[in-house]
Amino acid sequence: ETGVTQSPTHLIKTRGQQVTLRCSSQSGHNTVSWYQQALGQGPQFIFQYYREEENGRGNFPPRFSGLQFPNYSSELNVNALELDDSALYLCASSLDVGASYNEQFFGPGTRLTVL
Amino acid sequence: GENVEQHPSTLSVQEGDSAVIKCTYSDSASNYFPWYKQELGKGPQLIIDIRSNVGEKKDQRIAVTLNKTAKHFSLHITETQPEDSAVYFCATVGGGFKTIFGAGTRLFVKA
């Protein structure tokens, strides 16, 4: 059984550019959540996908969008990058939805730097 | 809005001593309270969790207590070891499955 993996590990972009981050869920997991973790802060919930549909969203603007594929891998897309988007982006996978007790398994994150 | 406050932000203890981290939350719908440990260069890892119908849970050196009336919960680590040094996050999960994290506690265990 493989854990949650993310790519790339590090990324440097400039303001105004677009970025796509990728996440491969743990085997058998059908739910993925994305988080933004600024330096020295706790992760902030961006959105969650369950069986390819957005299941919930945090306080992030529409330029943050996502996709979940039939194999339950996922992408986070950010358009019109701003300096404040510099952060560690984490994805977490879990099995099922319908109970809030489902344990989330986090990937190692993608460190995005916006210059 | 939903908010989780975590204290202290930094905690330094001697090896073998106990460490306590406290969190308060605002969302009454919260019913699941996980604690995560994050080491450098890694994602958060679940170390213990508690559900709203339970007041206390223990797993070896780690214990968590929950007071739903007061809306606070705490993490207790006994007999701390240098490998316990990391950043610890409390979190709450409510009916919307949205996980709200505290700001984190950086724990240093001095050998």
Side-chain angles (χ1 to χ4, degrees):
Chain A
E1 179 180 286
T2 57
V4 178
T5 59
Q6 293 185 243
S7 63
T9 307
H10 297 88
L11 201 53
I12 299 175
K13 292 285 189 178
T14 55
R15 268 187 310 173
Q17 285 189 311
Q18 179 267 342
V19 69
T20 297
L21 309 182
R22 294 178 174 84
C23 172
S24 180
S25 297
Q26 185 161 312
S27 178
H29 286 183
N30 56 13
T31 302
V32 65
S33 300
W34 284 90
Y35 296 85
Q36 180 195 67
Q37 186 176 22
L39 203 60
Q41 302 289 322
Q44 288 201 23
F45 176 77
I46 303 174
F47 43 56
Q48 182 183 85
Y49 278 80
Y50 170 64
R51 293 187 175 181
E52 304 176 57
E53 296 288 329
E54 187 179 292
N55 187 53
R57 189 177 183 91
N59 297 324
F60 281 81
R63 60 189 184 85
F64 285 78
S65 63
L67 281 173
Q68 187 182 30
F69 299 101
N71 66 354
Y72 301 135
S73 66
S74 176
E75 287 182 355
L76 165 65
N77 298 289
V78 187
N79 294 322
L81 284 167
E82 301 177 359
L83 296 179
D84 284 349
D85 295 334
S86 295
L88 180 70
Y89 287 85
L90 296 161
C91 77
S93 74
S94 56
L95 176 62
D96 213 353
V97 75
S100 58
Y101 306 147
N102 301 309
E103 179 179 353
Q104 294 186 83
F105 294 82
F106 283 84
T110 293
R111 173 73 62 189
L112 173 64
T113 302
V114 182
L115 303 176
Chain B
E2 304 136 334
N3 186 45
V4 176
E5 292 191 4
Q6 182 172 347
H7 300 281
S9 57
T10 305
L11 181 58
S12 184
V13 300
Q14 204 68 37
E15 182 179 3
D17 286 350
S18 295
V20 180
I21 303 170
K22 298 182 179 182
C23 290
T24 59
Y25 62 96
S26 59
D27 186 2
S28 299
S30 299
N31 56 16
Y32 175 57
F33 306 86
W35 285 88
Y36 294 90
K37 175 183 181 182
Q38 187 173 26
E39 296 174 303
L40 201 61
K42 297 183 179 180
Q45 180 181 13
L46 181 73
I47 56 172
I48 194 168
D49 55 14
I50 191 167
R51 302 181 186 183
S52 60
N53 58 348
V54 175
E56 185 173 350
K57 182 177 178 181
K58 187 174 182 182
D59 183 4
Q60 299 182 356
R61 297 187 296 109
I62 296 174
V64 59
T65 59
L66 170 65
N67 183 328
K68 279 218 76 177
T69 304
K71 293 183 185 171
H72 65 70
F73 56 117
S74 301
L75 177 72
H76 304 251
I77 305 174
T78 58
E79 300 171 29
T80 53
Q81 301 166 3
E83 51 265 38
D84 293 331
S85 295
V87 180
Y88 291 81
F89 293 97
C90 62
T92 64
V93 185
F97 316 113
K98 177 179 174 180
T99 304
I100 308 296
F101 283 81
T105 296
R106 186 170 294 278
L107 175 64
F108 297 96
V109 180
K110 296 176 286 187

